[in-house]
Amino acid sequence: MFFKDFKVWETELAGRKLTLETGKMAGLANAAFMVRYGETNVLCTVTASAKPREGVDFFPLSVDYEEKMYSVGRIPGSFLRREGRASEKAILTSRCIDRPIRPLFPKDLRNDCSVVATVMSVDPDCSPEIAAAIGVSAAIAVSDIPWAGPISSVNVGLVDGEIVINPTLEQREKTELNLTVASTADLVAMIEAGGNEIDDDTMFNAIMAGHEENKKIVKFIQGIVDEIGKPKFEYESSDPDPEIMAEIEEFCIEDVKKALDTDDKNVRDAALLPIYEAVHEKFDERFEGCEAKLDEIMYLVQKHVVRAWLKDEHKRVDGRGIDDIRPLNAEVDLVARAHGSGLFTRGQTQVLSVTTLGGVKDAQLLDGLDEQTEKRYIHHYNFPSYSVGETKPSRGPGRREIGHGALAEKALVPVLPTIEEFPYTIRVVSEVLSSNGSTSQGSICGSTLSLMAAGVPIKAPVAGISCGLITGDEGVYGDFMTMVDIQGLEDFYGDMDFKVAGTKKGITAIQMDLKVHGLTPEIIKEAFAKTHKARDYILDEIMLPVISEPRAELSKWAPKMRTCAINPDKIGDVIGKSGKVIQQIQADYDVKIEIEEDGNVFVSGQDVEKCDAAIEVVKLIASDPEVGAYYNGVVTRIMSFGAFVEIAPGKEGLVHISRLDIKRTEKVEDVVNLGDPIQVKCIEIDDQGRINLSRRDYLIDIEGAVPENDISEGGDKKPRRGGNHHHNKR
């Protein structure tokens, strides 16, 4: 056989066959697996450099989840007709794969490592994201790259009150929960969730259900490792020399403690500068060639101080109690012409969120692998360098910014009104003005304020808060402690950033970042309890006193929207030949009209009365004329025998000369001229669809006019009042 190392393993995941193949493709990578889950195929590869990268103080790991449009039988929509920059969903999936695998690599490893998951075929019922995560885990586990895996990952849904593992497409359309759980054999390594106000107990049970399923797949992968796993390569450790570390720590630790003991990041940074300078002045010459390690040693000294304070003394650098929240402030209406704005400040973290309302056609178009083709709520998060007191040019959003924006979006989507309730596209931009931890959660709070200020009728306000973790020397199995509302240093030197957003009723989003291998159920439960209590406090004491409910009226600068539904067969009539009819309506009323294939019509403009008038014109065009109905029209043609009147764009009827007035008319121009407005009644639609109108009948019926010597109409009979319908043209 040509592929002599080709091997295949099979198991079952959520009732569907899962197959891992190796030995046939990508033979020059350190390891590669083709994962087949149903008809979903993902090629997962991992490669590491032979030597460490020089001059870096971090593990250079890159994770790329690559979407190929051929996997769903589509040609890319870009000008080049090829895949270019990763989609937002691909970036978010890369982050979900990265977060659980990164802590399992040795902390002192500096060899470049590249993980690539290429989606080649997509079965909508079998998530390619989950197939990719499992394949990546298997590839790293069997490779020669040092790693403490394997792990597994599953989706968890909540359908009709039942927890479902890896829900199908049909189930995903009905689920109240979209949860991804990654696990090692013993611990929960990653949680990413969006939910429709899920209570803590239900969320916990769903996480544990995912964890139990993951254990089976981890055991399956471990069996593959036992069969074909390669010995892990030896590498040059980047850890500093213990003797140098001890000497520098003894020299500066007391000064470091004094510098860190403040709630002001600017004061702390300023106090640390002379300590760094003193360390370099004293030790650069003595430890020649190790100068680059001195800053890393200083990092480790600070980490030791912060963790010891938290773990041993329950002391936080800013003097707060373990479960105390930093000083909070909330405001609205800070941006003059924005449709809505909210400023949320937590300690030295400050986020300004601005809401913009647009028409339904402003929805973001998506060119991805799944069934979602657009979204009407868009949340963008910006993190400029000045927010952390640094100087660097803006180069657009990175993966972190995209991830934080998506988290805020996920947190707020469950409380947004439906398009029927609020026919707008909504964009919120969160500008981080100052950062000292938990900016993503600050953006959720600020965005809730902004949406309510804009008059978006959200179902309930949402707040976000984070929970940190410090573990003992024995790791998560030994003593641990959690603290609420972590600031920058506690995130930087701690073991966990557990972000939870939600309403008072339940959770709408979770994102968990870890630096340890995973969490026990006890830690997860404690984090839920602390974040729920903190969330309620933020809502009740800070946000709701500023704005208690969404405003009843939109900003005068926001477009006003009116909607109606028409027969889809009449869409062509409303648009008109070459778009002339709809363009004329938009010009006449200074509005924007958007029509969907199902016949839903959306009219937006600054003047609500003009929007209402435009809607009436659309309805008029889309409805067939009715005998007995009254219309406001315009004279479009003058003939010797009568006048043609447009009662709706593209719809004309004839007013015969005998029907122009209550008295005898010798000449049409004696009553009307071209372009004159005219009120008429529809008196007949013949078998050829021609419309006959009468001004005379309108005058008699509506204005009570008495015809002169009208023998044919019964002479002096009593005028008819009322009528069936009275349509106002335009």
Side-chain angles (χ1 to χ4, degrees):
M1 181 180 177
F2 183 77
F3 302 108
K4 58 182 176 59
D5 295 324
F6 179 60
K7 291 182 177 291
V8 180
W9 295 266
E10 291 183 2
T11 188
E12 189 176 274
L13 175 58
R16 281 149 275 173
K17 185 166 76 169
L18 174 70
T19 303
L20 271 64
E21 303 172 358
T22 191
K24 181 183 286 189
M25 301 182 187
L28 296 182
N30 288 55
F33 276 93
M34 173 64 85
V35 182
R36 304 186 188 277
Y37 186 33
E39 293 186 341
T40 290
N41 301 163
V42 185
L43 178 64
C44 302
T45 65
V46 58
T47 313
S49 63
K51 295 181 179 180
R53 190 195 295 189
E54 296 292 335
V56 298
D57 58 358
F58 60 91
F59 171 45
L61 168 69
S62 66
V63 178
D64 291 293
Y65 174 84
E66 297 185 341
E67 298 176 321
K68 301 299 182 181
M69 296 304 289
Y70 58 70
S71 67
V72 289
R74 296 183 205 152
I75 295 175
S78 68
F79 178 77
L80 295 175
R81 295 296 183 191
R82 69 176 298 160
E83 293 83 1
R85 181 184 177 187
S87 70
E88 182 176 293
K89 184 166 185 180
I91 289 171
L92 298 175
T93 302
S94 298
R95 285 168 57 85
C96 278
I97 295 172
D98 184 307
R99 292 209 305 273
I101 67 173
R102 186 178 291 271
L104 300 178
F105 288 96
K107 289 182 170 51
D108 59 344
L109 181 64
R110 296 294 179 264
N111 297 56
D112 283 275
C113 184
S114 175
V115 170
V116 181
T118 306
V119 182
M120 296 183 167
S121 176
V122 175
D123 177 346
D125 287 337
C126 299
S127 164
E129 296 89 353
I130 293 304
I134 292 172
V136 164
S137 171
I140 305 173
V142 303
S143 77
D144 59 345
I145 304 170
W147 193 57
I151 65 163
S152 175
S153 185
V154 293
N155 288 137
V156 185
L158 186 66
V159 182
D160 299 327
E162 297 294 324
I163 292 172
V164 179
I165 302 297
N166 285 2
T168 63
L169 175 61
E170 181 182 355
Q171 291 171 327
R172 291 198 301 272
E173 291 173 349
K174 299 187 295 183
T175 186
E176 297 288 307
L177 172 66
N178 181 13
L179 166 68
T180 302
V181 181
S183 310
T184 67
D186 304 302
L187 305 168
V188 175
M190 192 275 294
I191 301 169
E192 179 89 13
N196 188 13
E197 298 182 279
I198 307 298
D199 66 83
D200 292 356
D201 288 341
T202 301
M203 184 67 80
F204 177 79
N205 292 337
I207 293 169
M208 290 299 105
H211 181 45
E212 290 303 313
E213 192 70 25
N214 278 329
K215 289 180 180 180
K216 302 173 187 176
I217 302 302
V218 169
K219 184 178 180 181
F220 168 66
I221 297 173
Q222 187 60 53
I224 299 173
V225 175
D226 293 341
E227 184 176 343
I228 66 165
K230 302 174 184 177
K232 300 302 183 180
F233 65 68
E234 295 184 1
Y235 63 93
E236 181 182 338
S237 174
S238 66
D239 281 346
D241 184 283
E243 292 183 7
I244 300 175
M245 174 77 187
E247 189 169 348
I248 292 176
E249 181 173 357
E250 183 180 357
F251 171 75
C252 69
I253 191 167
E254 293 304 320
D255 291 333
V256 167
K257 288 180 179 179
K258 292 177 183 177
L260 294 180
D261 197 6
T262 176
D263 62 353
D264 191 317
K265 183 178 183 293
N266 292 325
V267 172
R268 181 186 311 124
D269 291 345
L272 285 170
L273 280 176
I275 303 175
Y276 274 81
E277 292 173 359
V279 167
H280 280 285
E281 183 178 347
K282 181 175 178 63
F283 294 103
D284 277 356
E285 290 186 9
R286 289 187 56 199
F287 302 117
E288 187 175 356
C290 298
E291 296 90 341
K293 292 287 185 184
L294 297 185
D295 287 348
E296 188 174 348
I297 291 173
M298 283 295 294
Y299 160 82
L300 293 172
V301 171
Q302 294 171 68
K303 180 176 181 179
H304 171 75
V305 169
V306 172
R307 292 176 66 87
W309 277 350
L310 286 165
K311 186 70 176 60
D312 301 332
E313 303 178 36
H314 282 205
K315 174 182 176 177
R316 305 180 73 167
V317 292
D318 55 8
R320 280 183 293 151
I322 292 302
D323 293 329
D324 289 346
I325 301 174
R326 286 171 287 174
L328 302 172
N329 186 61
E331 299 178 55
V332 294
D333 304 330
L334 286 96
V335 183
R337 291 203 174 196
H339 302 163
S341 59
L343 179 69
F344 187 80
T345 305
R346 182 189 281 127
Q348 289 182 302
T349 290
Q350 188 177 62
V351 184
L352 174 66
S353 292
V354 181
T355 297
T356 305
L357 304 177
V360 292
K361 294 297 184 184
D362 291 322
Q364 182 179 359
L365 300 179
L366 304 175
D367 191 17
L369 303 186
D370 56 18
E371 291 68 33
Q372 186 181 8
T373 58
E374 65 177 30
K375 59 180 181 179
R376 59 180 284 261
Y377 179 67
I378 306 159
H379 197 118
H380 290 151
Y381 165 103
N382 296 319
F383 191 88
S385 59
Y386 65 76
S387 67
V388 288
E390 295 178 356
T391 57
K392 64 179 180 179
S394 296
R395 292 289 184 263
R399 291 192 169 197
R400 179 181 181 277
E401 285 83 359
I402 289 171
H404 280 18
L407 176 61
E409 184 173 298
K410 189 180 294 184
L412 291 161
V413 162
V415 301
L416 294 176
T418 64
I419 194 167
E420 292 77 20
E421 296 167 329
F422 193 70
Y424 289 87
T425 293
I426 307 165
R427 180 184 186 233
V428 175
V429 179
S430 292
E431 306 283 3
V432 178
L433 307 182
S434 179
S435 172
N436 189 15
S438 296
T439 54
S440 63
Q441 303 309 287
S443 69
I444 293 168
C445 298
S447 298
T448 295
L449 297 169
S450 179
L451 288 166
M452 292 200 291
V456 179
I458 60 174
K459 298 170 187 175
V462 180
I465 193 72
S466 62
C467 182
L469 170 72
I470 296 293
T471 59
D473 294 337
E474 299 178 37
V476 292
Y477 296 107
D479 294 334
F480 71 89
M481 65 156 295
T482 60
M483 74 292 299
V484 79
D485 182 25
I486 59 174
Q487 61 167 302
L489 277 186
E490 293 164 339
D491 182 8
F492 202 45
Y493 298 131
D495 295 326
M496 176 180 78
D497 184 5
F498 198 122
K499 308 162 192 161
V500 184
T503 64
K504 296 191 72 173
K505 179 180 177 183
I507 296 168
T508 58
I510 300 174
Q511 187 177 94
M512 185 182 78
D513 294 325
L514 289 179
K515 297 187 183 73
V516 290
H517 290 187
L519 302 182
T520 62
E522 292 75 21
I523 296 174
I524 296 171
K525 277 190 173 183
E526 188 168 305
F528 277 169
K530 289 190 174 184
T531 53
H532 196 148
K533 182 179 179 181
R535 221 166 59 225
D536 288 352
Y537 171 80
I538 295 168
L539 287 169
D540 290 337
E541 302 298 326
I542 306 301
M543 293 170 61
L544 294 180
V546 172
I547 182 166
S548 59
E549 61 185 15
R551 286 182 174 143
E553 300 292 331
L554 302 183
S555 161
K556 68 178 182 179
W557 305 112
K560 309 306 181 292
M561 187 75 71
R562 290 294 183 266
T563 67
C564 70
I566 63 173
N567 186 335
D569 294 338
K570 298 293 184 179
I571 292 175
D573 295 342
V574 177
I575 294 174
K577 186 177 181 180
S578 301
K580 289 183 178 179
V581 173
I582 195 169
Q583 290 171 11
Q584 188 62 51
I585 301 171
Q586 291 180 138
D588 288 345
Y589 296 98
D590 191 23
V591 296
K592 183 178 179 181
I593 302 175
E594 297 160 342
I595 306 176
E596 296 187 335
E597 292 181 359
D598 60 2
N600 282 316
V601 180
F602 301 87
V603 177
S604 60
Q606 294 300 121
D607 188 326
V608 69
E609 293 183 359
K610 290 182 178 179
C611 293
D612 288 334
I615 279 285
E616 290 303 314
V617 174
V618 170
K619 289 179 180 177
L620 196 57
I621 297 171
S623 61
D624 294 321
E626 297 180 41
V627 174
Y630 304 97
Y631 298 92
N632 292 331
V634 173
V635 177
T636 55
R637 287 183 287 161
I638 299 290
M639 311 297 287
S640 61
F641 53 82
F644 283 93
V645 175
E646 185 182 63
I647 59 174
K651 293 185 178 181
E652 281 187 339
L654 173 66
V655 181
H656 191 269
I657 191 170
S658 65
R659 298 280 182 180
L660 273 173
D661 207 347
I662 57 173
K663 60 185 178 181
R664 182 178 178 79
T665 302
E666 298 292 338
K667 187 179 178 183
V668 172
E669 288 86 343
D670 292 340
V671 180
V672 292
N673 289 294
L674 193 66
D676 282 354
I678 182 174
Q679 291 78 39
V680 295
K681 178 181 180 180
C682 179
I683 58 174
E684 180 188 22
I685 301 175
D686 66 18
D687 56 5
Q688 297 182 45
R690 293 177 298 192
I691 304 168
N692 291 315
L693 307 170
S694 172
R695 178 174 178 266
R696 181 178 184 275
D697 285 70
Y698 177 91
L699 294 173
I700 293 171
D701 291 354
I702 301 302
E703 297 187 5
V706 179
E708 295 182 4
N709 303 318
D710 189 0
I711 305 301
S712 65
E713 292 296 321
D716 190 20
K717 82 178 174 181
K718 186 175 181 181
R720 289 169 290 162
R721 301 276 180 180
N724 296 327
H725 303 283
H726 190 177
H727 293 283
N728 287 319
K729 183 183 184 304
R730 302 182 191 173

